[in-house]
Protein backbone atom coordinates (compact mmCIF):
# COMPACT_ATOMS: atom_id res chain seq x y z
CA UNK A 1 0.00 0.00 0.00
CA UNK A 2 1.07 3.60 -0.62
CA UNK A 3 1.26 6.04 2.29
CA UNK A 4 2.03 9.75 2.06
CA UNK A 5 4.20 10.95 4.95
CA UNK A 6 4.65 14.64 5.80
CA UNK A 7 7.32 16.06 8.08
CA UNK A 8 7.20 19.43 9.81
CA UNK A 9 9.38 21.71 11.91
CA UNK A 10 12.34 20.18 13.72
CA UNK A 11 11.51 16.75 12.26
CA UNK A 12 11.75 18.09 8.69
CA UNK A 13 15.12 19.61 9.62
CA UNK A 14 16.42 16.09 10.24
CA UNK A 15 14.67 14.28 7.38
CA UNK A 16 15.55 17.08 4.92
CA UNK A 17 12.34 16.32 3.04
CA UNK A 18 8.92 17.74 3.77
CA UNK A 19 6.98 14.83 2.30
CA UNK A 20 7.39 11.48 0.60
CA UNK A 21 5.32 8.60 -0.71
CA UNK A 22 6.32 5.25 0.74
CA UNK A 23 5.21 1.89 -0.55
CA UNK A 24 4.75 -0.70 2.17
CA UNK A 25 4.56 -4.38 1.18
CA UNK A 26 2.29 -5.33 4.05
CA UNK A 27 -1.33 -6.38 4.20
CA UNK A 28 -1.86 -4.84 7.64
CA UNK A 29 -0.05 -1.64 8.59
CA UNK A 30 -0.27 0.34 11.82
CA UNK A 31 0.80 3.84 12.81
CA UNK A 32 3.50 2.27 14.99
CA UNK A 33 4.82 0.43 11.93
CA UNK A 34 5.10 3.70 10.03
CA UNK A 35 6.73 5.45 12.99
CA UNK A 36 9.30 2.65 13.39
CA UNK A 37 10.04 2.70 9.67
CA UNK A 38 10.66 6.46 9.68
CA UNK A 39 12.68 6.41 12.91
CA UNK A 40 14.86 3.73 11.38
CA UNK A 41 15.24 5.63 8.12
CA UNK A 42 15.93 8.95 9.85
CA UNK A 43 17.64 7.95 13.09
CA UNK A 44 18.13 11.57 14.23
CA UNK A 45 14.40 12.04 14.72
CA UNK A 46 14.37 9.51 17.55
CA UNK A 47 15.42 12.16 20.11
CA UNK A 48 12.78 14.63 18.97
CA UNK A 49 9.39 15.23 20.54
CA UNK A 50 6.49 14.88 18.10
CA UNK A 51 2.92 13.69 17.72
CA UNK A 52 1.51 11.84 14.75
CA UNK A 53 -1.64 12.30 12.72
CA UNK A 54 -3.55 10.08 10.32
CA UNK A 55 -5.50 12.05 7.70
CA UNK A 56 -5.20 15.20 9.80
CA UNK A 57 -6.42 13.61 13.05
CA UNK A 58 -3.98 13.28 15.95
CA UNK A 59 -3.59 9.62 16.82
CA UNK A 60 -1.45 7.51 19.13
CA UNK A 61 -2.12 4.39 17.13
CA UNK A 62 -4.35 3.13 14.34
CA UNK A 63 -4.68 1.03 11.27
CA UNK A 64 -3.30 2.53 8.07
CA UNK A 65 -4.91 1.93 4.69
CA UNK A 66 -3.78 2.66 1.15
CA UNK A 67 -3.79 6.38 0.43
CA UNK A 68 -3.61 7.53 4.06
CA UNK A 69 -1.61 10.63 4.93
CA UNK A 70 0.57 10.53 8.05
CA UNK A 71 2.23 13.60 9.52
CA UNK A 72 5.03 14.02 12.03
CA UNK A 73 4.08 17.05 14.13
CA UNK A 74 6.55 18.65 16.53
CA UNK A 75 5.21 20.92 19.30
CA UNK A 76 2.91 23.66 18.04
CA UNK A 77 3.96 27.29 18.09
CA UNK A 78 1.06 29.29 16.65
CA UNK A 79 0.64 32.92 17.64
CA UNK B 1 -13.61 40.46 0.46
CA UNK B 2 -12.82 37.06 1.87
CA UNK B 3 -15.73 35.27 3.53
CA UNK B 4 -13.61 32.65 5.28
CA UNK B 5 -13.09 33.38 8.98
CA UNK B 6 -9.47 32.24 8.75
CA UNK B 7 -6.74 33.55 6.52
CA UNK B 8 -3.04 32.88 6.34
CA UNK B 9 -1.02 35.99 5.47
CA UNK B 10 2.41 35.84 3.82
CA UNK B 11 4.76 37.61 6.22
CA UNK B 12 3.70 40.15 8.84
CA UNK B 13 0.04 41.13 9.19
CA UNK B 14 -0.30 44.71 8.02
CA UNK B 15 -2.34 46.94 10.37
CA UNK B 16 -4.46 47.98 7.35
CA UNK B 17 -5.72 44.39 7.07
CA UNK B 18 -6.84 44.53 10.71
CA UNK B 19 -8.68 47.79 10.08
CA UNK B 20 -10.39 46.12 7.10
CA UNK B 21 -11.54 43.18 9.29
CA UNK B 22 -12.94 45.57 11.88
CA UNK B 23 -14.80 47.60 9.28
CA UNK B 24 -16.36 44.40 7.89
CA UNK B 25 -18.26 44.11 11.19
CA UNK B 26 -20.30 47.23 10.31
CA UNK B 27 -22.85 45.18 8.45
CA UNK B 28 -23.53 42.84 11.40
CA UNK B 29 -26.21 44.83 13.16
CA UNK B 30 -26.60 42.49 16.14
CA UNK B 31 -22.95 42.93 17.11
CA UNK B 32 -22.42 45.27 20.06
CA UNK B 33 -18.86 44.43 21.04
CA UNK B 34 -15.61 43.25 19.50
CA UNK B 35 -12.66 41.92 21.43
CA UNK B 36 -9.40 41.58 19.58
CA UNK B 37 -6.08 39.95 20.32
CA UNK B 38 -2.88 40.82 18.50
CA UNK B 39 0.24 38.66 18.67
CA UNK B 40 3.50 40.48 18.01
CA UNK B 41 6.95 38.94 17.63
CA UNK B 42 8.98 39.71 20.73
CA UNK B 43 12.75 40.21 20.95
CA UNK B 44 13.36 37.33 23.35
CA UNK B 45 16.87 36.72 24.60
CA UNK B 46 17.77 33.03 24.69
CA UNK B 47 21.20 31.90 25.92
CA UNK B 48 22.58 35.36 25.29
CA UNK B 49 21.21 35.55 21.72
CA UNK B 50 18.49 37.95 20.60
CA UNK B 51 15.54 36.78 18.50
CA UNK B 52 15.35 38.79 15.29
CA UNK B 53 12.22 37.19 13.88
CA UNK B 54 10.12 34.07 13.57
CA UNK B 55 9.66 32.01 10.41
CA UNK B 56 6.22 30.37 10.56
CA UNK B 57 5.19 27.22 8.70
CA UNK B 58 2.09 25.06 9.01
CA UNK B 59 0.39 21.83 8.08
CA UNK B 60 -2.05 24.08 6.32
CA UNK B 61 -4.97 21.79 5.58
CA UNK B 62 -4.96 20.44 9.13
CA UNK B 63 -4.51 23.95 10.55
CA UNK B 64 -7.57 25.25 8.69
CA UNK B 65 -9.57 22.26 9.95
CA UNK B 66 -8.40 22.87 13.54
CA UNK B 67 -9.15 26.61 13.30
CA UNK B 68 -12.63 25.91 11.94
CA UNK B 69 -13.42 23.49 14.75
CA UNK B 70 -12.18 25.90 17.43
CA UNK B 71 -14.17 28.75 15.88
CA UNK B 72 -17.35 26.68 15.65
CA UNK B 73 -17.04 25.61 19.28
CA UNK B 74 -16.27 29.20 20.32
CA UNK B 75 -19.32 30.50 18.47
CA UNK B 76 -21.57 27.93 20.16
CA UNK B 77 -20.12 28.35 23.63
CA UNK B 78 -20.03 32.15 23.73
CA UNK B 79 -22.78 32.98 21.24
CA UNK B 80 -20.32 34.83 19.03
CA UNK B 81 -21.73 36.54 15.97
CA UNK B 82 -18.52 36.72 13.97
CA UNK B 83 -14.93 35.55 14.24
CA UNK B 84 -11.94 36.56 12.13
CA UNK B 85 -8.48 35.06 12.49
CA UNK B 86 -5.35 36.04 10.57
CA UNK B 87 -2.07 34.18 11.06
CA UNK B 88 1.28 34.83 9.40
CA UNK B 89 3.23 32.29 7.38
CA UNK B 90 6.85 32.90 6.45
CA UNK B 91 9.13 35.43 8.10
CA UNK B 92 7.89 37.98 10.60
CA UNK B 93 10.36 40.37 12.19
CA UNK B 94 10.49 41.43 15.82
CA UNK B 95 7.88 44.12 16.39
CA UNK B 96 5.66 42.92 13.56
CA UNK B 97 2.24 41.28 13.99
CA UNK B 98 1.86 37.53 13.48
CA UNK B 99 -1.63 36.82 14.84
CA UNK B 100 -4.97 38.64 14.82
CA UNK B 101 -8.09 37.26 16.47
CA UNK B 102 -11.39 39.14 16.47
CA UNK B 103 -14.46 37.89 18.33
CA UNK B 104 -17.67 39.87 17.86
CA UNK B 105 -20.81 39.35 19.90
CA UNK B 106 -23.91 41.16 21.05
CA UNK B 107 -22.35 41.94 24.43
CA UNK B 108 -18.88 42.55 25.78
CA UNK B 109 -18.59 39.64 28.23
CA UNK B 110 -19.10 37.08 25.46
CA UNK B 111 -16.71 38.91 23.13
CA UNK B 112 -13.93 39.14 25.74
CA UNK B 113 -14.31 35.57 26.99
CA UNK B 114 -14.79 34.22 23.47
CA UNK B 115 -11.64 35.92 22.19
CA UNK B 116 -9.57 34.52 25.07
CA UNK B 117 -11.01 31.05 24.47
CA UNK B 118 -10.05 31.19 20.78
CA UNK B 119 -6.50 32.40 21.48
CA UNK B 120 -5.80 29.80 24.19
CA UNK B 121 -7.14 26.94 22.09
CA UNK B 122 -5.38 27.89 18.87
CA UNK B 123 -2.03 28.08 20.62
CA UNK B 124 -2.47 24.50 21.82
CA UNK B 125 -4.24 22.85 18.93
CA UNK B 126 -3.33 24.35 15.57
CA UNK B 127 -0.37 22.72 13.73
CA UNK B 128 1.67 25.86 13.15
CA UNK B 129 5.44 25.78 13.67
CA UNK B 130 7.85 28.62 14.33
CA UNK B 131 11.56 28.93 13.82
CA UNK B 132 12.98 31.59 16.17
CA UNK B 133 15.79 33.19 14.17
CA UNK B 134 18.63 34.91 16.01
CA UNK B 135 20.76 37.83 14.93
CA UNK B 136 23.63 35.49 14.05
CA UNK B 137 21.22 33.59 11.72
CA UNK B 138 21.16 30.50 13.92
CA UNK B 139 17.71 29.36 15.06
CA UNK B 140 15.71 27.21 17.42
CA UNK B 141 12.18 25.85 17.20
CA UNK B 142 9.58 27.75 19.27
CA UNK B 143 7.45 25.80 21.71
CA UNK B 144 4.25 27.35 23.08
CA UNK B 145 4.01 27.41 26.85
Amino acid sequence: MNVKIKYFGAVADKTRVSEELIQFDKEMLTLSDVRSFCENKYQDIQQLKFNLSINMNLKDEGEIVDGDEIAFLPPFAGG
Amino acid sequence: MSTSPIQFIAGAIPPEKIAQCISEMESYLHVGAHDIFLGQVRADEIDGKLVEGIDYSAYEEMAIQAFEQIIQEGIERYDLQKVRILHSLGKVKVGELCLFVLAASAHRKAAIEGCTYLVERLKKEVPIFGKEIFQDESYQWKVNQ
Side-chain angles (χ1 to χ4, degrees), chain A residues 52-59, chain B residues 62 65:
Chain A
L52 295 168
S53 64
I54 304 174
N55 299 330
M56 304 193 292
N57 294 303
L58 289 175
K59 296 280 182 195
Chain B
M62 185 175 169
Q65 185 177 275

Short mmCIF file of all heavy atoms in Angstrom, two decimals, chain A residues 52-59, chain B residues 62 65:
data_model
loop_
_atom_site.label_atom_id
_atom_site.label_comp_id
_atom_site.label_asym_id
_atom_site.label_seq_id
_atom_site.Cartn_x
_atom_site.Cartn_y
_atom_site.Cartn_z
N LEU A 52 1.80 12.34 16.09
CA LEU A 52 1.51 11.84 14.75
C LEU A 52 0.04 12.06 14.43
O LEU A 52 -0.80 12.11 15.33
CB LEU A 52 1.82 10.33 14.67
CG LEU A 52 3.29 9.97 14.85
CD1 LEU A 52 3.47 8.48 15.06
CD2 LEU A 52 4.10 10.40 13.63
N SER A 53 -0.25 12.21 13.14
CA SER A 53 -1.64 12.30 12.72
C SER A 53 -1.87 11.34 11.55
O SER A 53 -0.94 11.04 10.79
CB SER A 53 -2.00 13.73 12.29
OG SER A 53 -1.25 14.10 11.15
N ILE A 54 -3.12 10.87 11.46
CA ILE A 54 -3.55 10.08 10.32
C ILE A 54 -4.68 10.89 9.67
O ILE A 54 -5.69 11.18 10.32
CB ILE A 54 -4.12 8.69 10.73
CG1 ILE A 54 -3.09 7.91 11.56
CG2 ILE A 54 -4.53 7.91 9.48
CD1 ILE A 54 -3.64 6.59 12.12
N ASN A 55 -4.49 11.25 8.42
CA ASN A 55 -5.50 12.05 7.70
C ASN A 55 -5.97 13.24 8.52
O ASN A 55 -7.17 13.49 8.67
CB ASN A 55 -6.67 11.16 7.28
CG ASN A 55 -6.23 10.05 6.35
OD1 ASN A 55 -5.27 10.20 5.59
ND2 ASN A 55 -6.89 8.90 6.43
N MET A 56 -5.01 13.95 9.07
CA MET A 56 -5.20 15.20 9.80
C MET A 56 -5.89 15.04 11.15
O MET A 56 -6.38 16.02 11.70
CB MET A 56 -5.93 16.23 8.92
CG MET A 56 -5.19 16.48 7.61
SD MET A 56 -5.75 17.91 6.69
CE MET A 56 -7.36 17.41 6.19
N ASN A 57 -5.92 13.82 11.70
CA ASN A 57 -6.42 13.61 13.05
C ASN A 57 -5.29 13.08 13.91
O ASN A 57 -4.65 12.08 13.53
CB ASN A 57 -7.57 12.60 13.06
CG ASN A 57 -8.79 13.14 12.34
OD1 ASN A 57 -9.30 14.20 12.69
ND2 ASN A 57 -9.24 12.45 11.32
N LEU A 58 -5.04 13.74 15.06
CA LEU A 58 -3.98 13.28 15.95
C LEU A 58 -4.33 11.89 16.46
O LEU A 58 -5.45 11.65 16.89
CB LEU A 58 -3.83 14.22 17.15
CG LEU A 58 -3.23 15.59 16.87
CD1 LEU A 58 -3.27 16.45 18.13
CD2 LEU A 58 -1.80 15.47 16.37
N LYS A 59 -3.36 11.00 16.38
CA LYS A 59 -3.59 9.62 16.82
C LYS A 59 -2.35 9.10 17.53
O LYS A 59 -1.23 9.45 17.16
CB LYS A 59 -3.84 8.71 15.61
CG LYS A 59 -5.08 9.01 14.80
CD LYS A 59 -6.30 8.43 15.45
CE LYS A 59 -7.51 8.72 14.57
NZ LYS A 59 -8.77 8.52 15.27
N MET B 62 -4.56 20.84 7.78
CA MET B 62 -4.96 20.44 9.13
C MET B 62 -5.17 21.68 10.01
O MET B 62 -6.07 21.71 10.86
CB MET B 62 -3.90 19.53 9.75
CG MET B 62 -4.29 18.96 11.10
SD MET B 62 -3.06 17.78 11.70
CE MET B 62 -3.59 17.55 13.39
N GLN B 65 -8.56 23.13 9.33
CA GLN B 65 -9.57 22.26 9.95
C GLN B 65 -9.62 22.51 11.47
O GLN B 65 -10.71 22.63 12.04
CB GLN B 65 -9.17 20.81 9.68
CG GLN B 65 -10.17 19.76 10.14
CD GLN B 65 -9.69 18.37 9.76
OE1 GLN B 65 -9.92 17.89 8.63
NE2 GLN B 65 -9.03 17.69 10.66
#
